[in-house]
Amino acid sequence: MELQDRIRELCRAREAVILAHTYQPPEIQDIADYVGDSYGLSRRAADLKAPVIVFCGVHFMAETAAILNPGRTVLLPAADAGCPMADMITGEQLRRMKAEHPGAPVVCYVNTTAEVKAESTICCTSSNAVKVVQSLGPVPEVLFVPDRYLGRFVEIQLGRPLICWDGFCPTHAMLTKETIQRVRSEHPDAELMVHPECRPEVQDLADHVLSTGQMCDLVKASSCRKYLVGTEVGILHTLKKLAPDREFIHVTPFLRCPNMKKITLEKIVRSLETLEPRVTVEESVAAGARRAIEGMLAVTARGA
Ligand code: SF4
């Protein structure tokens, strides 16, 4: 039996749904019930009724699904699929940062551990970070963790400074200004879209700075035929499925997150057979993290 057929059979038997991030390999995206960015996956996870969720992404994403669905079984088929950016700040480090800025609200990117979320005022994703910071009103100081490049993007959009943690995504940081200049000169007829996790000098050269979900929305709405894509390679599959008549050129093969590629069809089969490895979050931490995530979902639902 094909692995895909076995996965479908096990999903029916377990009443499981498969959620996959757009950075997952093509064969994983194709087997998933829902493919999306962090914001779309958080929203979908919050609405799910299925008893078993197979999360194809990295650890903090599966944690978010577990936080929003207490009592459900959340599986992460590769237990070691972490996110180096999420590991750049701990709960203790955030507590110290807060002590240095008493009363300042904390906006935390969802690419963080549950412990860091629980210490934060509200979460954000790359698609709603501007709205979330705006929703705090004219407070004198805002702490933004952990991605300094996303923080800088928000600063420019809102014309106000933030106090940013010094974290970054090692995958997106590999994209350099020189690479962008070269590919732009090779494809002068293409529009360049990059992710806000990219370096500022890279963002400055782009036509569009967008989350992966927003990249999909742009392609659906625009008549442009050719795009240079400056984010993790997995999204090329999503975009090509969405708009097979357009041309998508990945700006560099270095934009490949090794953690996002740890999940395989074989590991999904094993995970559904054994209901392991599970991701759980202690309720004492989950309650605070849930408040911060639900705050973000409420702001995004009503607009800021
Ligand atoms: S692409 Fe970057 S931010 Fe996303 S999971 Fe990989 S290391 Fe983390």
Side-chain angles (χ1 to χ4, degrees):
M1 186 187 281
E2 293 276 342
L3 286 171
Q4 284 88 343
D5 295 335
R6 178 72 181 136
I7 290 170
R8 283 275 150 251
E9 185 181 78
L10 283 163
C11 279
R12 276 193 297 276
R14 298 290 196 192
E15 295 179 63
V17 295
I18 301 178
L19 302 184
H21 193 270
T22 42
Y23 293 165
Q24 286 292 296
E27 66 278 13
I28 306 279
Q29 293 191 32
D30 289 345
I31 199 76
D33 296 291
Y34 178 77
V35 179
D37 63 3
S38 295
Y39 175 67
L41 292 170
S42 303
R43 282 198 49 189
R44 185 53 67 107
D47 293 341
L48 282 176
K49 303 281 180 274
V52 177
I53 299 167
V54 183
F55 210 105
C56 301
V58 293
H59 192 266
F60 75 81
M61 298 176 176
E63 254 189 0
T64 301
I67 290 163
L68 293 172
N69 287 280
R72 306 245 160 75
T73 300
V74 176
L75 304 172
L76 180 65
D80 60 341
C83 168
M85 171 163 28
D87 293 337
M88 286 180 190
I89 185 165
T90 63
E92 180 51 34
Q93 287 172 314
L94 179 52
R95 282 190 284 279
R96 283 205 293 271
M97 188 186 190
K98 284 163 67 176
E100 287 165 16
H101 302 275
V106 180
V107 177
C108 96
Y109 193 20
V110 287
N111 300 33
T112 43
T113 62
E115 192 193 359
V116 167
K117 289 183 177 75
E119 287 289 336
S120 301
T121 310
I122 189 164
C123 287
C124 74
T125 66
S126 51
S127 65
N128 59 29
V130 172
K131 257 185 191 175
V132 166
V133 173
Q134 214 170 17
S135 76
L136 299 171
V139 287
E141 286 186 323
V142 174
L143 310 185
F144 192 93
V145 301
D147 185 359
R148 65 179 187 236
Y149 298 146
L150 177 61
R152 182 262 189 190
F153 171 76
V154 175
E155 286 180 328
I156 290 176
Q157 300 302 306
L158 294 180
R160 64 156 299 168
L162 303 172
I163 298 166
C164 294
W165 190 255
D166 199 20
F168 63 95
C169 163
T171 298
H172 284 86
M174 283 196 192
L175 183 54
T176 63
K177 187 172 100 181
E178 290 69 30
T179 299
I180 292 295
Q181 286 166 334
R182 182 177 47 74
V183 288
R184 286 217 85 152
S185 68
E186 288 167 1
H187 304 279
D189 53 334
E191 287 187 15
L192 169 66
M193 43 190 188
V194 304
H195 195 275
E197 286 173 18
C198 292
R199 294 171 180 277
E201 61 273 24
V202 167
Q203 294 185 30
D204 292 345
L205 292 175
D207 296 305
H208 311 281
V209 182
L210 301 169
S211 71
T212 54
Q214 290 168 335
M215 288 181 187
C216 295
D217 292 343
L218 174 77
V219 168
K220 277 191 263 179
S222 158
S223 57
C224 175
R225 312 303 302 166
K226 187 173 174 184
Y227 294 92
L228 298 169
V229 183
T231 190
E232 212 276 347
V233 65
I235 197 176
L236 272 282
H237 183 68
T238 322
L239 292 169
K240 282 176 188 163
K241 275 178 89 170
L242 189 70
D245 58 328
R246 317 286 176 86
E247 190 179 354
F248 300 101
I249 298 157
H250 198 218
V251 290
T252 167
F254 293 121
L255 265 171
R256 183 183 168 84
C257 173
N259 283 288
M260 281 285 182
K261 309 306 181 202
K262 286 186 174 167
I263 292 176
T264 61
L265 293 175
E266 287 82 357
K267 287 180 187 172
I268 295 175
V269 169
R270 206 168 325 131
S271 192
L272 279 161
E273 283 172 347
T274 60
L275 291 182
E276 296 287 346
R278 292 183 196 206
V279 174
T280 56
V281 183
E282 240 182 74
E283 186 51 31
S284 57
V285 175
R290 194 176 300 122
R291 174 194 42 72
I293 299 165
E294 288 178 347
M296 167 189 80
L297 295 174
V299 165
T300 315
R302 72 168 185 265

